[in-house]
Amino acid sequence: MNSRSIFDLSSREMLLEQLQKEAENPGIWDDPTSAQRLMKRIADLREEIEGWNQFLKRCQDGLELAESEDESLREDLEKEISALEKELQQRELTTLLSGPYDHENALLTINAGAGGTDSQDWASMLMRMYLRWCERRGFDSEILDFSEGEEAGIKSVTIAVTGPYAYGYLRGEKGVHRLVRLSPFDAAHRRHTSFAQVEVLPEISNGDNEIQINPDDLRIDIYRSSSAGGQNVQKNATAVRITHIPTGIVVSCQNERSQMQNRENAMRVLRARLAELKRQEQERQLAELRGEYIKAEWGSQIRSYVLHPYQLVKDHRTEYETGNTQAVLDGELDGFIEAYLRSQKTKSGGL
């Protein structure tokens, strides 16, 4: 067990103690939503700390077995060491998640870029990749909004990802993803390059005091769902589009059969986008004070997925790469996520 993990456990114990003191104040229940959020944070922290303590006990038990020098226990000890090393790697990763929203759930949106059917197909491949990643981690995923492509694939999709530190793990996926392959939609079977943009936002609870939405600032349109499905297309108007008039932000949700549920989901996305807008404005103001220049553009790709003429997935920020492209497209993203988190920690001087 290294000192970094132990230090992080100590800081989490102090945070838990602080939050428990806040929870002792009866006044917190004046705002039930904020109170429930606080209690959930306490429960998650307590579970994490208990997990670390159990892990530390297993390490201690393993050391005692090793010191016994009993050869009959050697095989079991080697298996336990291997299991502990694997668990340590996963647990150490959570120590890199210390951002203000890292512990929150995430809202992930994929938008097909220019390139027609190929890019829309690529967006659907990314959707499958992230849904499979959620399955691997045991996270819940819910499609809030879905816009089907004209011939194949999707134009856009918004997915709510629920699980411990979902935003912290996924925030590094934000950016442009580039695919190079032989196009299945080209009669000449030529090589095509496709782009899709991934947006990742922390889900902001309704009780977050930093984001206040005035109902008078909203224009709400109700319309019929345009989702695919033939006879399953809604005959009633249940899809919801919300425009936040002061900022011009537009969000829509049409995946639920209930207009009320679609409205609630649209508000979830709107709160997250308003929080991101506020964060960007704060960064812009800070950059101006520092005399820095921030370029506002779609941006160059953060990761390339090459399926032809060779097999390679490479992250251009960390240089992490693998030739097992199929595994990545099947949701094996932890290597990329860990490399990004470690690179960010290194930049901030944490490691």
Side-chain angles (χ1 to χ4, degrees), residues 27 53 106 124 127 130 135 170 183 198 208 211 219 224 229 245 255 262 295 346:
N53 286 327
S124 71
M127 178 182 71
Y130 287 117
E135 290 176 10
L170 285 170
S183 172
V198 174
D208 194 311
I211 304 299
R219 184 174 71 244
R224 287 187 182 181
I245 298 171
N255 219 51
N262 281 326
K295 199 172 185 180
T346 301

Side-chain angles (χ1 to χ4, degrees), residues 146-339:
F146 181 93
S147 178
E148 191 175 33
E150 293 163 1
E151 296 181 30
I154 61 172
K155 293 179 180 178
S156 66
V157 65
T158 297
I159 305 168
V161 181
T162 304
Y165 294 96
Y167 175 70
Y169 285 118
L170 285 170
R171 59 181 162 87
E173 295 299 297
K174 177 182 178 181
V176 178
H177 295 242
R178 168 179 174 259
L179 172 70
V180 180
R181 63 170 175 175
L182 295 177
S183 172
F185 306 101
D186 186 329
H189 211 47
R190 290 170 294 191
R191 189 170 65 187
H192 280 238
T193 300
S194 306
F195 297 90
Q197 187 176 41
V198 174
E199 175 189 49
V200 183
L201 301 171
E203 184 167 0
I204 307 299
S205 73
N206 195 26
D208 194 311
N209 294 326
E210 292 186 13
I211 304 299
Q212 298 293 331
I213 300 177
N214 184 344
D216 294 336
D217 290 339
L218 303 180
R219 184 174 71 244
I220 301 176
D221 300 309
I222 310 299
Y223 58 100
R224 287 187 182 181
S225 170
S226 59
S227 298
Q231 70 274 17
N232 293 324
V233 175
Q234 291 294 304
K235 295 180 181 179
N236 299 322
T238 59
V240 175
R241 181 188 300 111
I242 299 179
T243 303
H244 186 250
I245 298 171
T247 61
I249 294 175
V250 179
V251 298
S252 61
C253 282
Q254 59 177 321
N255 219 51
E256 299 292 336
R257 292 180 178 273
S258 161
Q259 182 187 125
M260 181 176 293
Q261 187 63 52
N262 281 326
R263 179 169 175 160
E264 289 176 1
N265 286 339
M267 289 298 294
R268 291 166 67 183
V269 178
L270 178 60
R271 279 193 296 272
R273 291 197 171 152
L274 286 173
E276 176 67 6
L277 189 66
K278 182 178 181 179
R279 185 192 65 78
Q280 289 176 352
E281 178 60 22
Q282 290 171 340
E283 286 188 355
R284 186 188 65 79
Q285 292 174 357
L286 185 60
E288 287 180 354
L289 290 173
R290 292 173 174 170
E292 298 172 353
Y293 173 63
I294 295 181
K295 199 172 185 180
E297 61 178 10
W298 216 56
S300 58
Q301 65 269 10
I302 64 164
R303 190 177 301 151
S304 290
Y305 306 69
V306 181
L307 305 186
H308 183 83
Y310 51 88
Q311 302 270 318
L312 181 70
V313 181
K314 180 176 181 177
D315 195 295
H316 302 291
R317 302 161 300 178
T318 63
E319 301 300 315
Y320 183 88
E321 62 183 44
T322 176
N324 193 347
T325 57
Q326 190 55 54
V328 174
L329 294 174
D330 282 339
E332 199 169 295
L333 295 171
D334 286 350
F336 291 96
I337 290 171
E338 181 175 352

Side-chain angles (χ1 to χ4, degrees), residues 30-229:
D30 293 341
D31 185 344
T33 303
S34 294
Q36 289 170 4
R37 185 184 179 200
L38 174 64
M39 300 310 291
K40 182 181 183 303
R41 181 72 175 122
I42 289 173
D44 289 345
L45 263 176
R46 187 179 289 122
E47 182 180 354
E48 183 183 2
I49 291 169
E50 288 175 357
W52 268 111
N53 286 327
Q54 290 172 8
F55 175 73
L56 288 169
K57 186 177 184 306
R58 284 177 61 196
C59 289
Q60 186 60 43
D61 291 344
L63 283 172
E64 292 175 2
L65 281 176
E67 291 170 356
S68 71
E69 299 183 356
D70 186 342
E71 284 298 320
S72 66
L73 300 174
R74 185 179 183 85
E75 185 177 348
D76 289 338
L77 182 59
E78 288 177 349
K79 288 181 180 178
E80 178 67 358
I81 290 173
S82 178
L84 287 171
E85 287 177 343
K86 185 175 181 181
E87 184 174 341
L88 175 60
Q89 188 176 12
Q90 291 297 319
R91 288 190 172 279
E92 190 179 29
L93 194 56
T94 65
T95 69
L96 305 177
L97 304 174
S98 56
Y101 292 108
D102 279 357
H103 63 279
E104 299 286 3
N105 298 325
L107 296 173
L108 184 146
T109 298
I110 303 168
N111 292 298
T117 303
D118 274 287
S119 289
Q120 291 172 10
D121 186 55
W122 172 223
S124 71
M125 291 168 65
L126 285 173
M127 178 182 71
R128 177 184 178 276
M129 181 182 78
Y130 287 117
L131 290 175
R132 293 294 295 272
W133 178 82
C134 290
E135 290 176 10
R136 285 171 175 266
R137 292 209 67 92
F139 287 176
D140 292 330
S141 58
E142 176 189 4
I143 294 178
L144 303 183
D145 191 43
F146 181 93
S147 178
E148 191 175 33
E150 293 163 1
E151 296 181 30
I154 61 172
K155 293 179 180 178
S156 66
V157 65
T158 297
I159 305 168
V161 181
T162 304
Y165 294 96
Y167 175 70
Y169 285 118
L170 285 170
R171 59 181 162 87
E173 295 299 297
K174 177 182 178 181
V176 178
H177 295 242
R178 168 179 174 259
L179 172 70
V180 180
R181 63 170 175 175
L182 295 177
S183 172
F185 306 101
D186 186 329
H189 211 47
R190 290 170 294 191
R191 189 170 65 187
H192 280 238
T193 300
S194 306
F195 297 90
Q197 187 176 41
V198 174
E199 175 189 49
V200 183
L201 301 171
E203 184 167 0
I204 307 299
S205 73
N206 195 26
D208 194 311
N209 294 326
E210 292 186 13
I211 304 299
Q212 298 293 331
I213 300 177
N214 184 344
D216 294 336
D217 290 339
L218 303 180
R219 184 174 71 244
I220 301 176
D221 300 309
I222 310 299
Y223 58 100
R224 287 187 182 181
S225 170
S226 59
S227 298

